[in-house]
Amino acid sequence: MSYPETLSGTVEKILFENSEGDFTVARIRADGNRDLITAVGPFAVKPGESLKFLGRWVEDRRFGRQFSVESFESILPVTEEGIRKYLGSGMIHGIGPTYANRIVDRFGTHSIDILDKSPERLREVEGIGQVRLERIKKAWIEQRETKKVVLFLQEHGVSTAHALRIFRNYGDQSLRILRENPYRLASEVYGMGFRTADAIAGRLGIPHDSVGRAAEGVAYHLLELSQQGHVCFPREDLLRGAAAMLGISVEGAEAGLATLLMQGRVSLHDGHVYLAHLARAEVEVAEGLVGLLAPPESPVELNDRLALEWVQARSGLVLGESQKKAILMALRERLLVITGNPGCGKSTLVRSIAGFFANRGMRVELAAPTGRAARRLSDLCGQPARTIHRLLEFRQGRFTRNEANPIEADLVVVDETSMMDLVLLSHLLKALASGTRVIFVGDTDQLPSVGPGTVLREMIESGPVPCVALTDIFRQAESSMIIMNAHRINRGQSPVFDHPESDCFFLEEDDPEKLGQLVVSLVTQRLPGHYGLDPLRDIQILCPMRRGSAGVIELNRLLQQALNPDGASVTKGAAHFRVGDKVMQMVNNYDRDVYNGDIGMIEALDLQENIIRIRFDTRLVEYEPEDLDEIALAYACSVHKSQGSEFPAVVVVLHTQHYIMLQRNLIYTALTRARRLAVFVGSRKALAIGVRNDKVSIRHSHLAERIRAGLASGPSTPSRVL
């Protein structure tokens, strides 16, 4: 067995870094040695950094002799060449390769001292004004503080990538928070889970069987369940799951739950445990909906016949019975839910109702959960629509529209309500003025929201909430096999692909390796050539799963290679982002006003400023390289991420390796994203499995019961489902 050795050198090049930042392959120029060596192990560094490693020499069968790193510490470079690489590596915001060269040309080997002790002298460098100087000074201080956190965490076995995320979240409070409660990392730092926080806590001396650890574990397990869509969870099942996760007894988990109840972080209702904020949200939503069930203070005076004639003349359509009922109820009720599958006239109905209210001089607000859904709603209705976050004017971490500052509208229409979670609905209801009407529009057969709850379904199931289910298919929609197949899938019937004038096809390929090449061929050649579609703007690949040879990640790699193989790029983990890439925002970022599922194009990589500029429709948004874990390539995306969007053409990839995700509402959702053309590719067996599987995962909640209970003290309200 070899003994640990120390090795000092400068990072010349990063060959590989995984997305977690806990495994890197780098080429190192060792001190006193002209040859480059390969270092592998749990470290995250930048080219130009000088490091001191502790590790062992190993012989890899494939790659030969390597230095396996066990720990390392950063050493500031002392040579001009090392300083140029170090400053130009991108770790200091405001200094790229160009300014690094200028600084070293001016100050030579004293450049680091200048940054440390006399940063004002950087004004002597061409191009560095006061604004850039302040940016550099701030970044230099941050990287020094970061190194303290990195060193502290390295001593406790934590990767550099996680250390950087912790510092960016807490700044100079990082070490204090880590020592006081490392479990905060699990819920507050993006990309860090409970296991990482628990490992840090263990190294900091928190006992495995402590009540504090049990409490944090139960709270985190409940948070995980909420991320799966649950608003609450049965008490006994929660305790068993948390105990298994923590490796403790159920009694130990019960002690942790008792602590959480005493602290007010969770609550109990009807044998179910809630996170405190979800319990409040459920009560607020129920109270808000019950309040809307009261008759309007100022009902719209109308003649039924004239109102319907006005709508039919405006839309140019002959309305079915369900459409007529929806229009009349929208004019009489303060709260209305409208549901229906594609082709049943939801969009026409919304446009007509919004137009009717606007025509009478009433203020109408149109909103949807995502930016893409809001833009589609705006196009359909011919009037502005906003995301719910923008409607509620989200600023500096909070919604500024609330009870004290309500939305100024007579009618609020929310489209794609199936995507709305419980918490967002609670904020919307609190921001409605006393006389405002609200109409929720959606499709209960689509996938449910990413966040907790199934608010659209529960409003309908509650009974008292007025609801219209649209059933009449408009004649224009009957010629579309996309729409007809969507209805067939909902009935559990196999879609039809042999129609001579079809807009819906199936191409069979059971080999997952060949499947990827078929998708590339469709996107780059066949569909653009036959239909004149733009590969980037008109075609979206949808897939049930991210991983696997026929998953989102691999399809994105193949499509990037085919559509955008060259040009300036930046690397984040295992991903390479290039100018011209199609990308998707993967989490809500309220500071940048970009949200989960928004699709954009990388427009520029500014290496001097160390900035990536991404265009989302008309807006250009700036990212630093460290922020790119919020971004993913979007040539292909998951079906879940496509909700609320509509594309000229979709290619839906289905294979039996997606087995655990194959279900009817997923296939239905994927198909109904297509406006002009839908192409299924893959295994017919996978399609058949999905169409047959109509089991909807249960999401624990008591919203419907709370709505009924809220009406129990007053006059009974009959069910008004039409």
Side-chain angles (χ1 to χ4, degrees):
M1 179 178 176
S2 62
Y3 291 96
E5 299 182 36
T6 58
L7 175 71
S8 298
T10 303
V11 179
E12 292 285 327
K13 186 177 182 181
I14 304 296
L15 300 180
F16 173 78
E17 180 186 25
N18 72 355
S19 57
E20 295 300 316
D22 56 8
F23 184 78
T24 298
V25 180
R27 295 288 278 168
I28 309 294
R29 191 174 300 281
D31 293 347
N33 191 334
R34 288 187 175 184
D35 296 330
L36 293 176
I37 64 167
T38 300
V40 300
F43 60 96
V45 292
K46 297 279 189 181
E49 280 197 79
S50 295
L51 303 165
K52 184 177 181 181
F53 295 105
L54 178 68
R56 308 167 194 269
W57 288 102
V58 296
E59 196 70 33
D60 186 274
R61 290 183 181 179
R62 184 176 175 187
F63 298 108
R65 195 167 187 249
Q66 299 177 337
F67 193 79
S68 178
V69 176
E70 296 172 6
S71 64
F72 75 100
E73 61 180 286
S74 182
I75 304 167
L76 290 175
V78 294
T79 66
E80 286 193 6
E81 186 59 28
I83 294 171
R84 286 180 201 275
K85 287 184 177 180
Y86 179 71
L87 296 182
S89 65
M91 70 170 57
I92 302 163
H93 188 42
I95 302 180
T98 300
Y99 282 101
N101 286 331
R102 291 179 186 176
I103 291 169
V104 176
D105 288 344
R106 177 69 183 85
F107 301 113
T109 56
H110 299 291
S111 298
I112 301 295
D113 282 337
I114 293 294
L115 280 160
D116 262 335
K117 300 169 184 174
S118 309
E120 296 295 334
R121 289 194 61 192
L122 292 176
R123 291 290 302 273
E124 300 172 23
V125 176
E126 179 190 353
I128 297 183
Q130 192 60 40
V131 173
R132 186 180 293 275
L133 174 63
E134 293 303 321
R135 193 185 305 161
I136 292 171
K137 284 165 63 175
K138 181 184 177 186
W140 183 252
I141 292 169
E142 283 183 352
Q143 65 88 27
R144 284 192 310 190
E145 292 297 320
T146 303
K147 285 187 182 298
K148 292 180 185 178
V149 176
V150 170
L151 289 172
F152 174 83
L153 289 171
Q154 280 179 346
E155 291 171 4
H156 296 89
V158 180
S159 74
T160 305
H162 282 147
L164 293 172
R165 287 177 181 169
I166 291 167
F167 182 80
R168 289 177 64 204
N169 216 66
Y170 301 123
D172 57 9
Q173 299 298 306
S174 299
L175 295 182
R176 178 186 63 78
I177 288 169
L178 284 167
R179 291 186 176 106
E180 287 178 359
N181 183 9
Y183 289 103
R184 286 178 59 179
L185 305 179
S187 59
E188 296 177 0
V189 179
Y190 176 70
M192 294 190 69
F194 180 83
R195 297 190 187 283
T196 302
D198 193 37
I200 295 171
R203 294 185 180 101
L204 291 173
I206 295 176
H208 179 81
D209 58 353
S210 70
V211 174
R213 177 175 181 265
E216 297 298 338
V218 171
Y220 184 74
H221 188 47
L222 194 53
L223 177 65
E224 279 189 315
L225 291 165
S226 75
Q227 291 168 346
Q228 296 170 21
H230 299 287
V231 178
C232 55
F233 209 70
R235 180 180 181 276
E236 300 307 319
D237 294 340
L238 171 69
L239 292 174
R240 282 194 291 270
M245 182 188 80
L246 293 166
I248 61 175
S249 66
V250 173
E251 291 75 20
E254 194 163 18
L257 176 61
T259 298
L260 293 172
L261 287 164
M262 184 176 62
Q263 293 172 344
R265 293 168 61 187
V266 303
S267 64
L268 273 171
H269 174 75
D270 196 20
H272 288 68
V273 185
Y274 288 76
L275 290 169
H277 76 283
L278 291 180
R280 285 194 302 272
E282 190 173 85
V283 170
E284 289 166 355
V285 167
E287 289 176 347
L289 293 173
V290 169
L292 286 168
L293 291 173
E297 294 175 6
S298 44
V300 178
E301 294 181 8
L302 60 103
N303 177 290
D304 289 1
R305 181 180 60 80
L306 293 178
L308 293 174
E309 286 178 356
W310 186 92
V311 170
Q312 291 191 136
R314 183 181 176 90
S315 65
L317 298 171
V318 177
L319 299 175
E321 288 305 309
S322 57
Q323 282 91 9
K324 291 177 183 178
K325 289 176 181 177
I327 291 167
L328 296 178
M329 288 186 73
L331 301 176
R332 293 194 175 99
E333 304 284 356
R334 285 189 64 207
L335 169 64
L336 177 63
V337 173
I338 299 174
T339 67
N341 296 146
C344 292
K346 290 197 304 294
S347 300
T348 301
L349 202 56
V350 169
R351 182 171 66 245
S352 301
I353 292 169
F356 189 90
F357 274 85
N359 189 59
R360 297 176 70 91
M362 303 177 81
R363 298 164 299 180
V364 178
E365 286 284 359
L366 305 177
T370 67
R372 296 183 72 87
R375 286 186 291 277
R376 186 162 61 89
L377 180 61
S378 179
D379 292 341
L380 289 167
C381 293
Q383 56 188 99
R386 294 185 276 179
T387 64
I388 297 169
H389 283 84
R390 287 182 182 167
L391 177 65
L392 296 175
E393 297 180 13
F394 189 90
R395 294 179 190 140
Q396 298 179 336
R398 67 186 188 91
F399 294 107
T400 58
R401 291 289 182 180
N402 48 41
E403 303 97 320
N405 182 31
I407 299 165
E408 297 172 358
D410 298 298
L411 171 67
V412 174
V413 180
V414 180
D415 197 13
E416 297 286 357
T417 307
S418 62
M419 296 179 64
M420 182 185 283
D421 65 37
L422 182 78
V423 175
L424 187 56
L425 178 57
S426 72
H427 285 292
L428 175 64
L429 292 174
K430 285 188 291 185
L432 296 177
S434 60
T436 302
R437 304 159 184 267
V438 60
I439 298 174
F440 294 107
V441 184
D443 185 344
T444 54
D445 293 314
Q446 287 189 27
L447 290 168
S449 62
V450 174
T454 51
V455 295
L456 179 63
R457 186 178 295 276
E458 288 187 88
M459 280 192 274
I460 297 167
E461 291 175 353
S462 70
V465 174
C467 175
V468 179
L470 303 181
T471 55
D472 304 298
I473 300 177
F474 281 116
R475 190 175 301 161
Q476 294 93 322
E478 291 178 347
S479 62
S480 168
M481 289 310 298
I482 292 174
I483 290 174
M484 301 312 293
N485 277 335
H487 287 267
R488 289 182 64 84
I489 288 168
N490 263 345
R491 296 193 294 266
Q493 298 172 335
S494 298
V496 175
F497 300 111
D498 56 1
H499 195 278
E501 299 294 328
S502 185
D503 53 6
C504 192
F505 301 94
F506 191 99
L507 299 179
E508 190 164 10
E509 180 51 75
D510 290 319
D511 186 327
E513 305 299 331
K514 293 179 181 178
L515 181 54
Q517 296 305 317
L518 174 57
V519 171
V520 170
S521 172
L522 279 168
V523 174
T524 60
Q525 298 173 30
R526 295 168 67 171
L527 297 183
H530 192 76
Y531 295 97
L533 296 166
D534 183 289
L536 292 178
R537 291 175 173 80
D538 295 336
I539 304 171
Q540 183 61 51
I541 313 304
L542 302 179
C543 188
M545 295 178 65
R546 287 184 55 77
R547 303 199 177 274
S549 56
V552 169
I553 295 173
E554 176 62 12
L555 290 172
N556 269 319
R557 186 188 69 80
L558 293 171
L559 288 161
Q560 183 192 48
Q561 194 175 59
L563 292 168
N564 192 29
D566 302 311
S569 67
V570 62
T571 300
K572 182 66 177 179
H576 301 279
F577 297 99
R578 298 189 179 99
V579 172
D581 273 337
K582 182 178 180 180
V583 295
M584 177 180 282
Q585 178 77 16
M586 302 301 285
V587 295
N588 290 335
N589 188 314
Y590 304 112
D591 295 329
R592 290 191 174 91
D593 197 23
V594 287
Y595 301 99
N596 192 350
D598 284 355
I599 292 177
M601 301 282 288
I602 298 180
E603 197 163 283
L605 299 178
D606 190 329
L607 299 179
Q608 288 192 20
E609 294 284 347
N610 209 29
I611 291 292
I612 297 96
R613 294 185 174 89
I614 302 175
R615 183 168 296 282
F616 293 93
D617 292 314
T618 58
R619 298 175 56 246
L620 198 60
V621 182
E622 293 189 346
Y623 291 75
E624 296 178 30
E626 291 78 9
D627 301 320
L628 289 180
D629 51 10
E630 296 183 4
I631 294 293
L633 292 175
Y635 301 98
C637 72
S638 69
V639 179
H640 285 80
K641 290 290 185 184
S642 74
Q643 281 182 271
S645 299
E646 194 176 74
F647 309 95
V650 298
V651 176
V652 184
V653 181
L654 296 174
H655 195 271
T656 49
Q657 66 177 223
H658 305 143
Y659 181 80
I660 61 171
M661 296 295 292
L662 295 175
Q663 56 191 48
R664 186 179 298 172
N665 60 356
L666 180 137
I667 294 173
Y668 170 82
T669 301
L671 175 59
T672 53
R673 299 312 90 201
R675 189 162 59 242
R676 287 170 47 197
L677 179 69
V679 183
F680 286 91
V681 296
S683 163
R684 287 188 181 271
K685 181 179 179 181
L687 176 63
I689 290 170
V691 171
R692 285 197 303 266
N693 181 12
D694 65 344
K695 293 179 183 177
V696 177
S697 298
I698 294 172
R699 292 187 169 196
H700 292 283
S701 166
H702 291 95
L703 178 59
E705 293 94 319
R706 289 189 196 269
I707 294 170
R708 289 191 288 268
L711 290 168
S713 57
S716 61
T717 304
S719 175
R720 289 180 283 178
V721 178
L722 300 178

